[in-house]
Amino acid sequence: MPALLSSLISSVSRAPALAVSEAAGGLLAALADLPDPRARRGVRHRLTVVVSAAVCAVVAGNRSYTAIAEWIADVPAATALALGMASDRRPSEAMIRRLLQAIDPQLLTAAVSVWLTGRAAAGTSTSRRAIAVDGKTLRGSRTTDAAARHVMAACDQAVGVILASTDVDGKTNEITRFQPLLDQIGDLRDTVITADALHCQREHVDYLAERGAHWILTVKGNQPSLHSQLAGLPWRAVPDATRDTDRGHGRREIRTLKVLTLSTGIDFPHAAQALQIRRRRRRLDQPKRFTTETVYAITDLRVHQAKPAQLATWIRGHWSIENKIHWVRDVTYDEDRCQIRTGTGPEVMAALRNAAIGALRTAGIANIAAANRHHARDSTRPLALLGIT
């Protein structure tokens, strides 16, 4: 693993508890360590300037190289100067495109995550950190000769910030990229890693044990023997440890969690507790028609290390990467129809969207679409959000 990547992301776990106003000015400083892929000769616009301007444009809702270039061309002279570019010499669309197609997306994600984690540090709780691991296909990057790019990311559940990402090329799959992804995060001690059933692998839990991390893994049909063992446990005799009810989006959902301590009979290393999650849903206009889903999971956390309510929070929080990041990129930024396909462009644009979403989340903003419109109405607002003055 490159030393620079390690040094960038290891800072995430050791980020000091800065006040938001103090940490907010760190984006340009964090980007200063990002390697510039261009030859030194003939460079007119510094990489930090172009990338910062691109993040500002994405915060304002822009979705393509052309839209980013138009935003930069249209901002007033004072805004251009604040970004670090001459008002009469601004980067062209071609220059922006060539640069963003060549940047290393992992290093960009690392640099931005250090800054965002520092911004959020003052407001986060002191409880054990949870990181959700999940993948997403960039559907618009598909060509006639190549499959769509696939990116796997690690997201801080509480903050909604992407801490690390890695490309999953067509010659491999998410399973083989699990360890390289988490290798980018310097300190995983006492952190809880949540992942879907694909990552319920013995090699993964051995790796997490070596890193001092805990885990909660869903178990489904890809592990038929383990799933059968869990389903065969005496769940009927186990009382509900937690029960939650939610109402929204035209439906009502009741979630229950049962927890069973494991001693013998489960063939999986380091497993300490088995979990049964049951979800009952009904549409509000069909009060007598319920659908029930039962899911099993295992964890190495013991009874004294996490209460059932905390386990339920982490299990539900695993979907934070889907709800807070992937859904917003698809619906608000229309990522699946983005046809950027050359070089590292698809992954870099995803990283820019993650940066914009993370900056808005750490500022306490929940409605990203409304925030895009708000920041689009005044070119100084994205700069203020990113601490650029």
Side-chain angles (χ1 to χ4, degrees):
M1 180 175 63
L4 178 58
L5 180 60
S6 175
S7 63
L8 280 170
I9 303 190
S10 63
S11 303
V12 171
S13 58
R14 301 191 299 271
L18 300 175
V20 171
S21 59
E22 180 183 353
L27 176 59
L28 291 174
L31 292 178
D33 290 331
L34 192 63
D36 192 330
R38 300 170 294 180
R40 292 184 180 182
R41 185 175 181 180
V43 172
R44 293 182 177 180
H45 304 282
R46 290 181 293 123
L47 178 140
T48 54
V49 170
V50 177
V51 175
S52 297
V55 175
C56 287
V58 175
V59 167
N62 295 285
R63 304 173 179 177
S64 65
Y65 298 142
T66 300
I68 290 171
E70 289 173 348
W71 184 89
I72 293 173
D74 290 342
V75 297
T79 302
L81 291 172
L83 284 166
M85 62 184 73
S87 60
D88 59 346
R89 178 176 284 184
R90 307 187 188 192
S92 65
E93 186 275 341
M95 179 264 150
I96 294 169
R97 171 168 34 88
R98 288 194 296 267
L99 178 58
L100 295 184
Q101 288 173 351
I103 291 176
D104 186 320
Q106 291 188 29
L107 294 179
L108 175 59
T109 297
V112 172
S113 70
V114 170
W115 169 67
L116 288 176
T117 306
R119 276 171 55 107
T124 55
S125 66
T126 57
S127 61
R128 186 182 278 118
R129 182 173 64 163
I131 296 175
V133 173
D134 196 22
K136 184 182 186 303
T137 299
L138 308 177
R139 302 186 187 280
S141 63
R142 182 185 294 109
T143 67
T144 55
D145 301 322
R149 310 283 182 90
H150 190 84
V151 177
M152 190 162 67
C155 176
D156 187 303
Q157 284 193 13
V159 184
V161 169
I162 297 295
L163 301 176
S165 69
T166 186
D167 181 40
V168 182
D169 61 39
K171 298 179 181 179
T172 183
N173 57 36
E174 285 191 18
I175 295 175
T176 61
R177 302 303 295 163
F178 182 85
Q179 293 187 26
L181 173 71
L182 294 179
D183 278 342
Q184 298 176 40
I185 303 176
D187 189 359
L188 289 179
R189 288 173 297 177
D190 213 30
T191 297
V192 177
I193 306 298
T194 61
D196 59 25
L198 180 65
H199 296 290
C200 186
Q201 306 289 332
R202 287 163 172 78
E203 297 82 1
H204 289 1
V205 298
D206 288 339
Y207 163 79
L208 293 174
E210 292 175 3
R211 297 288 308 273
H214 298 288
W215 46 266
I216 302 173
L217 300 175
T218 304
V219 180
K220 291 186 178 179
N222 62 318
Q223 293 277 2
S225 176
L226 179 60
H227 185 270
S228 177
Q229 292 172 9
L230 293 175
L233 292 173
W235 293 110
R236 290 183 179 274
V238 180
D240 292 341
T242 67
R243 179 186 175 91
D244 298 306
T245 302
D246 271 349
R247 172 177 261 175
H249 304 287
R251 69 182 184 184
R252 182 172 182 246
E253 180 177 273
I254 301 170
R255 296 181 304 275
T256 59
L257 173 69
K258 293 183 177 183
V259 183
L260 199 58
T261 300
L262 299 175
S263 54
T264 58
I266 297 298
D267 182 22
F268 201 81
H270 310 291
Q273 296 188 93
L275 314 173
Q276 184 197 68
I277 306 101
R278 178 162 290 183
R279 306 182 183 100
R280 299 188 69 212
R281 304 184 183 96
R282 69 171 175 83
R283 289 173 48 179
L284 295 181
D285 60 349
Q286 296 179 345
K288 295 184 179 181
R289 188 173 180 179
F290 276 91
T291 60
T292 301
E293 177 189 20
T294 302
V295 177
Y296 297 101
I298 50 176
T299 179
D300 71 324
L301 289 161
R302 301 184 180 278
V303 175
H304 67 278
Q305 292 177 309
K307 296 181 179 179
Q310 185 62 75
L311 293 173
T313 298
W314 286 327
I315 292 169
R316 191 157 191 230
H318 175 71
W319 299 109
S320 61
I321 191 171
E322 182 67 36
N323 298 332
K324 294 181 179 180
I325 305 293
H326 294 168
W327 188 88
V328 174
R329 279 166 41 187
D330 280 340
V331 175
T332 303
Y333 287 106
D334 203 15
E335 183 173 79
D336 278 348
R337 291 200 296 174
C338 177
Q339 296 187 359
I340 292 174
R341 296 165 177 165
T342 305
T344 60
E347 295 89 345
V348 169
M349 282 301 298
L352 294 178
R353 295 182 191 111
N354 290 338
I357 295 167
L360 293 168
R361 295 283 188 208
T362 55
I365 297 171
N367 189 327
I368 304 300
N372 287 162
R373 296 191 295 271
H374 171 79
H375 288 83
R377 292 194 292 270
D378 185 340
S379 65
T380 64
R381 289 172 179 171
L383 276 67
L385 175 74
L386 304 179
I388 301 172
T389 56

